[in-house]
Amino acid sequence: MSRSKLLFAIIAFFITFGQVSAETANDPTGIWLTQAGDAKIRVNHCGASLCGTIVWLKAPIDPATGKPQVDDKNANPSLAKRPIVGLNIFNRMKSVADNKWSGTIYNADNGKSYSSDVIVAGRRKLEVRGCVMSILCGGETWTKIGEV
């Protein structure tokens, strides 16, 4: 192989590898550990939206009942008995930029939903932010621990 062909092949490899890395870096899909380490969320594409499904809890059993945790903080009685594991916490989470999705997020700790942004902040970091009335905001960083 001539030097120019070898050089071209090396450049093509790095361009292709760089594109794959960039695509992966902006992909929110995977299994994410919450900042507190108390839950794992599977993020995947659901049509044009993102879904965020609780797949693991550090404390899956409710100490008060001895049974699996349920959504007992939910104000809607018909939803208050659904299991926490398997619950989709993202609602209408749509892409608004290359690495950002906006919609609502459900907080099973208090049974409320909040306006939310999900931002890929690196290959293994996901920033999850929620706001009440667009004034009082908070967030946390989730760490990617697996692929979907």
Side-chain angles (χ1 to χ4, degrees):
M1 184 181 277
S2 72
R3 281 186 164 195
S4 62
K5 286 183 181 178
L6 179 60
L7 181 60
F8 178 76
I10 291 170
I11 291 170
F13 170 79
F14 282 109
I15 288 172
T16 301
F17 179 74
Q19 288 174 338
V20 169
S21 293
E23 289 169 7
T24 304
N26 289 334
D27 186 7
T29 61
I31 307 292
W32 299 87
L33 182 65
T34 60
Q35 186 167 311
D38 57 357
K40 293 178 185 175
I41 314 297
R42 180 182 353 105
V43 176
N44 59 353
H45 295 283
C46 297
S49 298
L50 285 182
C51 287
T53 306
I54 299 172
V55 295
W56 175 88
L57 293 173
K58 186 175 186 177
I61 304 300
D62 183 342
T65 66
K67 296 181 179 177
Q69 297 266 3
V70 295
D71 192 18
D72 58 357
K73 306 288 188 303
N74 197 307
N76 182 337
S78 67
L79 299 177
K81 293 185 175 146
R82 64 186 174 172
I84 295 292
V85 174
L87 187 65
N88 177 28
I89 60 172
F90 291 166
N91 190 17
R92 295 183 309 275
M93 197 64 69
K94 304 278 186 183
S95 177
V96 295
D98 284 343
N99 64 342
K100 182 177 179 181
W101 291 259
S102 292
T104 59
I105 190 167
Y106 178 72
N107 181 352
D109 290 338
N110 64 11
K112 297 183 186 297
S113 292
Y114 300 94
S115 174
S116 179
D117 292 323
V118 173
I119 302 161
V120 178
R123 288 183 47 85
R124 303 201 93 57
K125 299 292 178 195
L126 193 68
E127 297 291 331
V128 181
R129 298 185 181 132
C131 294
V132 177
M133 300 186 315
S134 300
I135 301 170
L136 186 58
C137 299
E140 62 182 48
T141 302
W142 295 356
T143 303
K144 191 172 198 175
I145 58 171
E147 301 299 322
V148 208

